[in-house]
Amino acid sequence: MTTDEIRARLFELKDDKYAAFHRKLIPTVNPDKVLGVRTPALKKFAKEVAKDEEGCTAFLQELPHRYYDENQLHAFIISGIKEYESCVFEVEKFLPYVDNWATCDQMLPAAFKKNKDELVKKIYEWLDSDKTYTVRFGIGMLMKHYLEEDFKPEYLERVSLIRSDEYYIQMMIAWYFATALSFRYDDALPYIRDNKLDPDVKKKTVRKAIESYRISKEQKDYLRNC
């Protein structure tokens, strides 16, 4: 399957009404680049493309892509790569071209789950990037993989030190700390209580935490007054 054939299939799968709705959610993307392929269809197609080794390799090498939906397809293909080193290689090749929160957040490589000692080293590199969505991706991976049994307090400290005017980085920091409050309340609370976060990020964090069903009413009341 050639890249042109892959693109043609995406055009066949597009949904104009969904495209009109979805464009409003991803303001950083040129509306003309959004075809409107729904996520279940993209995930199914990603598995099909991945089975064609030659065609898949050619598609992954063709960067930047022309359409948002091609980036989404790319993210889902990477998420399915089972071998860790190959997966990280493709992630790092793709991250500089990620231009929106949805593609960033929907890239969830399964191979990362069993390689956490190596992964955290990469995450620290991503957090030092000057690319908005590379930083966001790194924070997201810390949130997904290191708030339960693999948690270390140093991860909270590392994220708390990030300073950025980029909205999509600020929102991910807030999401990270709000989630940390639900899993590691005693560890995360000092960052809110002692004003260790950027003031805007702190406000966003408290707002998201108050929306969480994992945080008790008493804890929410306390956070409101921090």
Side-chain angles (χ1 to χ4, degrees), residues 125-136:
E125 292 177 16
W126 298 332
L127 296 181
D128 286 331
S129 172
D130 61 355
K131 301 286 187 182
T132 295
Y133 297 101
T134 300
V135 175
R136 182 180 172 100

Side-chain angles (χ1 to χ4, degrees), residues 113-130:
K113 295 177 182 178
K114 296 182 179 180
N115 294 274
K116 293 182 183 178
D117 289 343
E118 292 300 315
L119 175 61
V120 76
K121 299 172 188 176
K122 283 295 178 185
I123 288 174
Y124 273 40
E125 292 177 16
W126 298 332
L127 296 181
D128 286 331
S129 172
D130 61 355

Side-chain angles (χ1 to χ4, degrees), residues 1-223:
M1 188 181 299
T2 67
T3 299
D4 285 341
E5 288 172 335
I6 290 171
R7 187 175 295 132
R9 282 285 299 280
L10 291 173
F11 269 86
E12 292 173 5
L13 293 168
K14 72 185 182 75
D15 181 326
D16 291 337
K17 288 184 178 179
Y18 180 69
F21 163 76
H22 199 62
R23 285 171 185 139
K24 300 173 184 176
L25 303 178
I26 45 173
T28 60
V29 178
N30 181 339
D32 294 337
K33 302 297 185 181
V34 180
L35 301 178
V37 183
R38 292 178 179 270
T39 297
L42 278 169
K43 287 184 174 180
K44 182 178 180 181
F45 188 37
K47 292 178 181 179
E48 181 181 338
V49 173
K51 291 178 182 178
D52 177 2
E53 186 173 342
E54 184 176 347
C56 183
T57 298
F59 176 74
L60 294 179
Q61 289 176 345
E62 188 175 282
L63 290 166
H65 294 302
R66 190 178 304 173
Y67 293 99
Y68 162 79
D69 308 73
E70 290 177 296
N71 281 329
Q72 291 290 87
L73 181 66
H74 196 130
F76 290 133
I77 291 171
I78 287 176
S79 296
I81 295 174
K82 296 179 180 179
E83 201 277 316
Y84 175 74
E85 293 295 339
S86 297
C87 185
V88 168
F89 175 79
E90 293 297 342
V91 165
E92 296 205 294
K93 188 171 68 175
F94 182 50
L95 277 174
Y97 298 95
V98 175
D99 61 359
N100 68 91
W101 68 266
T103 302
C104 178
D105 295 0
Q106 289 186 323
M107 187 160 53
L108 300 168
F112 285 3
K113 295 177 182 178
K114 296 182 179 180
N115 294 274
K116 293 182 183 178
D117 289 343
E118 292 300 315
L119 175 61
V120 76
K121 299 172 188 176
K122 283 295 178 185
I123 288 174
Y124 273 40
E125 292 177 16
W126 298 332
L127 296 181
D128 286 331
S129 172
D130 61 355
K131 301 286 187 182
T132 295
Y133 297 101
T134 300
V135 175
R136 182 180 172 100
F137 181 74
I139 299 169
M141 290 301 97
L142 271 183
M143 181 174 69
K144 180 171 178 61
H145 295 294
Y146 300 91
L147 282 179
E148 296 185 70
E149 63 271 14
D150 296 291
F151 172 78
K152 292 181 181 179
E154 70 183 64
Y155 302 149
L156 293 169
E157 180 68 17
R158 182 63 183 82
V159 176
S160 78
L161 296 175
I162 297 172
R163 292 292 183 269
S164 175
D165 293 330
E166 291 285 349
Y167 173 80
Y168 290 101
I169 291 179
Q170 289 189 355
M171 285 304 299
M172 181 55 84
I173 296 172
W175 187 7
Y176 172 78
F177 272 96
T179 306
L181 284 165
S182 68
F183 284 104
R184 301 280 175 177
Y185 184 81
D186 291 340
D187 292 292
L189 180 61
Y191 291 90
I192 313 301
R193 184 191 62 215
D194 301 337
N195 297 311
K196 293 184 177 182
L197 302 178
D198 175 273
D200 288 338
V201 172
K202 176 182 173 179
K203 290 178 184 177
K204 292 178 174 68
T205 301
V206 171
R207 190 182 315 130
K208 291 185 76 68
I210 288 170
E211 295 170 355
S212 174
Y213 66 88
R214 293 193 183 102
I215 296 175
S216 71
K217 181 182 182 302
E218 291 74 20
Q219 291 170 335
K220 291 178 182 179
D221 289 341
Y222 184 83
L223 289 168

